Amino acid sequence: MQQRLIVEGKDAIVLTVILDKKGIPSPKGYHNKYKYKTEFVKMAEGESKVKTVLKEQLDSPDIERIGIIVDADKKGPENKFKGLIDFIQKETGETLTKPELASTGFYYQLKDKRTIGIWVMPDNLNEGYLENFVGAMIAEDDLTWQFCQEKVEELSKKDFCLFSETKTQKALVHTYLAWQKTPGLPLGTAVKAEFLSIENQIVNNFVDWFKNTFELVV
Amino acid sequence: MIDHLHIINFMCFKELEIPTLKRVNLIGGKNNSGKTTLLDAIRILKSNGNSAVVNHILNSRKIFKNGSDESYFHLSNYEKNKWPIRINKYCIKTLEVEGIYISRNYKTGKKSAFARLDPNIFINPPQEKLVYVSFNSNFETLSSLWEEVALTKYEDDVYEILQETIQPDLLRLNVGREVVNIRLKNVEKPIPLSTLGDGVNRILLVALGLVNAKNSILLIDELELGLHYSALEKLWEMIFKYAQKWNIQVYATTHSQDVLNTFHYVSDNEKYINDAQYIRLQINRQGENEAILFDGERLRKTLELQLEIR
């Protein structure tokens, strides 16, 4: 039995670090770290590449569980989710009933017992990206965080501001990381260094979604 | 060129349909997924069920029992040859030979031919030309392929293909017992071919296969055996170029990622992309035989993302 985690974007590491810190075991057969990184986790930049990866996993007779993590973007979770469901229906020939949006993520079991889990960043309910999910790992009353928000907003109003509006959250998160005790750590390392906290509801929902998708018992 | 295959009840295949075949077909899949069996099916199809070919297949699979009729049952997927074996393709001509059955294709309405292997009516119909090289039985095949072309005008084609792909200053070639000697320009004495580098004997094997397979089909079993990946790119360049030039359809089996990668590198251009197809054989979730087809574009997309498609 093989399993796959498909992640839209370049930064799956932060998610695997979160799972590791939460004490979630690797899915069965992926305890070797290299195998986990290269075989279990598949990163794909952009929606069309996510679909390319997904198609190959659906065509393989060996893969029983697939977890898909995508960004809601500006399109919103509903559209992003529908795009994936339509694609899965087209590839498998199965009609899937559309569930309500829920903060806990989505699951499907196909007729042949394959499990497909879908998580739409940040929380299955709102527009946004991985960076919004990471933003939720910073306490609202963190003074550095509040200061960063002020400064990034101030900069975004200047005519020499280089980043576009859609990248504001990304700029904000990385500004925050730039101003920590060890400045400029990448997301995954920042979680390890506990600059980002794993104790919050969104992270817990995500961890539960992962556990359910890959049937992991802690 | 065969452009479609439908195999029913043949060895490990209950039923396998391959709707599209290209000029150069690379076949992958797990052990026992039927890679070699697919080549065997094509051999039987093109030989119209000739018993020499069938016996060779049975022999190489070590299931031949002193030529008894029982042996033929092993070719069937079902017990005791309950259903006839069918291997068919789109075929406009009608073969009116006993033991060759004609069926109508349900999709196109075209008539198809299939060989029925039934020991009771077993006959030896005329064979169509086809070349089969196995990297397992290397030297034996090599010398018999050489014999076919030695001292004929096709010998010149062998020199052309070798000069273009491995050794520009090669003049002559001689296949002796267990050794191939060559003569190079400005070198007085013959030297063994193997001094030209690793795997060059196998490149020669494929070159001879191509020369012998003009306007026909070349089958290569287990392409990766004994070949370093640096030799593979050369080999594919040779296969694509001469398959096009001499109107040859090629089927090669492999387990190797290197073979798959180099197949893609060489074919991913305007000249060859429409000639290339990778076919993965597998048993699907319903337990049926299935062929997953990768044209040039799908191959590019998946290899770029480093996805496992073997």
Side-chain angles (χ1 to χ4, degrees), chain B residues 271-301:
Chain B
K271 200 168 171 204
Y272 297 136
I273 193 147
N274 292 322
D275 279 351
Q277 174 170 263
Y278 171 64
I279 303 167
R280 184 177 73 223
L281 298 179
Q282 62 185 34
I283 309 288
N284 71 12
R285 281 159 213 280
Q286 288 74 43
E288 301 156 349
N289 299 106
E290 186 175 55
I292 304 285
L293 306 184
F294 294 78
D295 61 9
E297 204 197 325
R298 184 170 177 189
L299 207 52
R300 186 195 308 136
K301 276 183 172 176

Side-chain angles (χ1 to χ4, degrees), chain B residues 84-96:
Chain B
I85 292 161
R86 295 182 196 172
I87 303 164
N88 61 41
K89 56 165 182 168
Y90 293 145
C91 183
I92 297 157
K93 81 180 167 194
T94 304
L95 294 167
E96 306 229 18

Side-chain angles (χ1 to χ4, degrees), chain B residues 29-284:
Chain B
K30 290 183 189 169
N31 292 323
N32 302 319
S33 60
K35 298 185 292 297
T36 303
T37 307
L38 179 60
L39 300 190
D40 289 343
I42 295 168
R43 291 168 74 191
I44 289 176
L45 175 73
K46 294 304 277 186
S47 72
N48 292 325
N50 186 286
S51 64
V53 172
V54 175
N55 288 349
H56 184 264
I57 289 167
L58 289 170
N59 264 321
S60 62
R61 299 215 171 215
K62 301 189 170 51
I63 47 176
F64 195 68
K65 287 179 194 159
N66 305 321
S68 82
D69 290 347
E70 282 288 304
S71 304
Y72 297 115
F73 293 140
H74 291 286
L75 288 177
S76 169
N77 185 276
Y78 300 92
E79 266 177 56
K80 282 286 165 196
N81 215 15
K82 204 168 150 197
W83 301 93
I85 292 161
R86 295 182 196 172
I87 303 164
N88 61 41
K89 56 165 182 168
Y90 293 145
C91 183
I92 297 157
K93 81 180 167 194
T94 304
L95 294 167
E96 306 229 18
V97 189
E98 197 189 354
I100 303 297
Y101 283 61
I102 309 303
S103 75
R104 199 172 280 278
N105 186 286
Y106 64 95
K107 275 186 196 151
T108 60
K110 280 182 193 163
K111 280 184 174 177
S112 310
F114 59 85
R116 177 172 169 180
L117 299 180
D118 182 330
N120 298 319
I121 53 157
F122 213 74
I123 43 116
N124 286 322
Q127 300 188 49
E128 286 173 62
K129 199 177 144 196
L130 169 146
V131 179
Y132 175 77
V133 299
S134 165
F135 272 32
N136 266 322
S137 59
N138 182 9
F139 204 84
E140 204 182 303
T141 321
L142 194 140
S143 47
S144 70
L145 287 173
W146 173 249
E147 263 170 43
E148 291 281 320
V149 297
L151 304 177
T152 71
K153 64 175 179 161
Y154 301 115
E155 203 180 308
D156 299 336
D157 296 329
V158 178
Y159 299 137
E160 181 197 323
I161 196 169
L162 293 176
Q163 282 157 0
E164 293 237 346
T165 49
I166 48 173
Q167 195 70 19
D169 57 349
L170 183 134
L171 287 179
R172 292 287 310 275
L173 177 91
N174 186 52
V175 178
R177 274 191 194 178
E178 305 288 312
V179 66
V180 181
N181 284 313
I182 51 166
R183 194 149 158 245
L184 300 180
K185 223 181 256 177
N186 305 325
V187 179
E188 255 179 56
K189 290 191 170 172
I191 56 168
L193 179 71
S194 52
T195 57
L196 296 187
D198 259 355
V200 75
N201 270 320
R202 285 161 198 277
I203 292 181
L204 173 64
L205 183 64
V206 174
L208 285 171
L210 286 163
V211 173
N212 277 284
K214 281 184 183 177
N215 298 309
S216 167
I217 288 175
L218 174 64
L219 308 176
I220 309 168
D221 202 10
E222 296 195 70
L223 186 66
E224 73 269 24
L225 278 182
L227 270 177
H228 188 256
Y229 77 93
S230 57
L232 287 168
E233 217 165 318
K234 252 182 200 166
L235 191 70
W236 282 124
E237 271 161 17
M238 178 170 96
I239 290 172
F240 274 98
K241 180 176 173 183
Y242 287 92
Q244 217 171 56
K245 187 171 175 187
W246 291 335
N247 186 31
I248 303 165
Q249 190 175 33
V250 179
Y251 295 85
T253 68
T254 194
H255 280 126
S256 150
Q257 185 72 46
D258 288 338
V259 170
L260 186 55
N261 288 346
T262 48
F263 175 78
H264 169 66
Y265 301 157
V266 172
S267 64
D268 194 25
N269 54 58
E270 249 175 56
K271 200 168 171 204
Y272 297 136
I273 193 147
N274 292 322
D275 279 351
Q277 174 170 263
Y278 171 64
I279 303 167
R280 184 177 73 223
L281 298 179
Q282 62 185 34
I283 309 288
N284 71 12

Side-chain angles (χ1 to χ4, degrees), chain A residues 4 42-44 49 52-53 55-64 112 114, chain B residues 30 280 282-286 290 292 294 298 301-302 304-309:
Chain A
R4 292 287 184 271
K42 293 286 172 198
M43 283 184 265
K49 283 189 180 161
T52 303
V53 178
K55 178 177 170 54
E56 296 310 328
Q57 314 315 316
L58 290 171
D59 269 356
S60 162
D62 302 323
I63 291 164
E64 299 297 332
D112 53 32
R114 273 184 289 179
Chain B
K30 290 183 189 169
R280 184 177 73 223
Q282 62 185 34
I283 309 288
N284 71 12
R285 281 159 213 280
Q286 288 74 43
E290 186 175 55
I292 304 285
F294 294 78
R298 184 170 177 189
K301 276 183 172 176
T302 52
E304 266 175 11
L305 287 163
Q306 299 185 323
L307 300 177
E308 177 61 79
I309 55 170

Side-chain angles (χ1 to χ4, degrees), chain A residues 38-80:
Chain A
T38 55
E39 272 190 34
F40 174 63
V41 181
K42 293 286 172 198
M43 283 184 265
E45 264 187 271
E47 212 177 338
S48 80
K49 283 189 180 161
V50 166
K51 285 177 182 167
T52 303
V53 178
L54 180 56
K55 178 177 170 54
E56 296 310 328
Q57 314 315 316
L58 290 171
D59 269 356
S60 162
D62 302 323
I63 291 164
E64 299 297 332
R65 291 173 190 283
I66 305 171
I68 308 166
I69 301 170
V70 290
D71 291 329
D73 306 330
K74 280 273 160 199
K75 280 182 167 178
E78 185 118 12
N79 279 330
K80 210 53 192 264

